[in-house]
């Protein structure tokens, strides 16, 4: 049976979260991930975290503009459409300015607190985050705290470097899929892959689809449809979900 046959394909239904465990451990953060085995990657509706949905987008020098602004736009329109969503751009260590991949400068007002969100989005771009042991360690901390960790494009490779994708369904930009698989990820050929507390997306514009899916999943399809209408954009492809 193929990887895709073991999961479910979804185009817009909201699901409860189920338990996801880590059996393969990062050599750098094995102890942290071992203690995370008991974390529930999804929660039943009775245990769903109270609204608003707190979202952080992790910013850094070299981040690809579309990777973060696509999800930010979706989340902003969702809030205007009535969803209880709070989105914050955050930066490792301290607030400050970041220079994006194509030279755009963005002032990031808030320092990243790994446990201070319900959803963390890691956009792709340069390799600064992969080279930072503190960032990788804090990604594990966020995961242990019950944060849903999402990666866009090569941001998924940062999650891989932290040991969060090993043995789990995931996807990334098509040029990085072989490397993701070599590092232990179970690569799925889908635009968005939802494995509970780990949600990943393909290249660049896939971040829009990831954000639309998270709004559907966490806030309901009516809000997502409103966002699609105002953005004049329809979610592409289907979402692969673990069964």
């Amino acid at each position: 049976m193929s990887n895709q046959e073991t999961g479910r394909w979804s185009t817009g239904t909201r699901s409860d979260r189920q338990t996801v465990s880590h059996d393969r451990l990062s050599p750098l953060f094995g102890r942290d991930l071992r203690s995370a085995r008991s974390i529930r990657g999804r929660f039943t509706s009775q245990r769903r975290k109270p609204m608003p949905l707190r979202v952080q987008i992790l910013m850094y020098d070299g981040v690809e503009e579309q990777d973060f602004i696509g999800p930010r736009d979706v989340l902003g329109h969702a809030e205007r459409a009535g969803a209880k969503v709070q989105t914050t751009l955050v930066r490792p260590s301290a607030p400050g300015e970041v220079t994006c991949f194509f030279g755009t400068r963005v002032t990031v007002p808030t320092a990243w607190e790994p446990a201070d969100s319900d959803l963390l989005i890691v956009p792709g771009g340069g390799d600064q985050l992969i080279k930072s042991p503190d960032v990788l360690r804090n990604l594990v901390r966020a995961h242990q705290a019950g944060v849903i960790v999402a990666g866009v494009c090569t941001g998924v490779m940062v999650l891989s470097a932290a040991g969060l994708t090993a043995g789990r369904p995931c996807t990334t930009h098509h040029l990085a899929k072989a490397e993701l698989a070599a590092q232990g990820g179970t690569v799925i050929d889908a635009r968005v892959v939802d494995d509970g507390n780990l949600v990943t997306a393909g290249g660049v514009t896939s971040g829009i689809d990831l954000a639309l899916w998270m709004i559907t999943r966490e806030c309901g399809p009516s809000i997502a449809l409103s966002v699609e209408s105002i953005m004049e954009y329809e979610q592409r492809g289907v979402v692969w979900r673990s069964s």
Side-chain angles (χ1 to χ4, degrees):
M1 183 175 289
S2 69
N3 290 333
Q4 293 180 352
E5 289 170 340
T6 62
R8 292 183 293 160
W9 296 93
S10 174
T11 56
T13 57
R14 183 182 182 186
S15 70
D16 291 327
R17 301 171 185 172
Q18 68 183 20
T19 302
V20 178
S21 64
H22 284 282
D23 293 322
R24 295 175 174 83
L25 309 176
S26 163
L28 286 177
F29 308 109
R31 291 181 181 177
D32 289 336
L33 288 178
R34 187 175 295 110
S35 64
R37 285 179 175 178
S38 62
I39 294 172
R40 294 194 175 274
R42 299 180 181 179
F43 301 90
T44 62
S45 57
Q46 291 80 6
R47 296 182 182 179
R48 187 176 297 279
K49 293 182 178 179
M51 296 294 254
L53 181 70
R54 302 168 302 158
V55 184
Q56 293 178 335
I57 301 177
L58 189 59
M59 301 290 289
Y60 57 96
D61 286 330
V63 64
E64 215 278 358
E65 281 88 340
Q66 179 63 48
D67 281 19
F68 81 86
I69 204 62
R72 180 65 188 94
D73 209 35
V74 169
L75 295 164
H77 283 301
E79 185 176 2
R80 289 199 172 193
K84 294 182 179 179
V85 179
Q86 294 178 349
T87 307
T88 306
L89 301 182
V90 297
R91 182 173 176 267
S93 302
E97 185 179 84
V98 301
T99 301
C100 302
F101 189 79
F102 293 108
T104 307
R105 294 182 178 179
V106 178
T107 299
V108 181
T110 307
W112 178 31
E113 293 292 340
D116 195 24
S117 68
D118 303 305
L119 170 63
L120 172 69
I121 299 176
V122 181
D127 59 359
Q128 285 85 347
L129 297 187
I130 291 178
K131 295 178 179 179
S132 171
D134 286 342
V135 167
L136 302 183
R137 191 174 296 110
N138 282 332
L139 284 169
V140 174
R141 283 183 56 204
H143 186 72
Q144 288 180 312
V147 176
I148 302 166
V149 181
V152 177
C153 194
T154 55
V156 180
M157 302 309 299
V158 182
L159 308 186
S160 178
L164 299 183
T165 63
R168 302 190 62 177
C170 53
T171 192
T172 186
H173 192 285
H174 68 276
L175 295 178
K177 284 182 177 179
E179 183 179 358
L180 182 60
Q183 293 178 10
T186 302
V187 176
I188 305 294
D189 287 327
R191 193 164 172 85
V192 177
V193 174
D194 182 345
D195 192 32
N197 61 354
L198 176 69
V199 185
T200 53
V204 195
T205 57
S206 298
I208 300 174
D209 302 293
L210 181 147
L212 281 168
W213 168 245
M214 293 309 300
I215 290 298
T216 302
R217 173 179 141 174
E218 300 296 324
C219 303
S222 295
I223 295 293
L225 286 170
S226 296
V227 174
E228 286 187 339
S229 176
I230 197 66
M231 292 182 67
E232 295 195 350
Y233 179 90
E234 294 182 0
Q235 184 175 340
R236 289 182 55 191
V238 292
V239 175
W240 187 98
R241 302 171 65 194
S242 57
S243 50

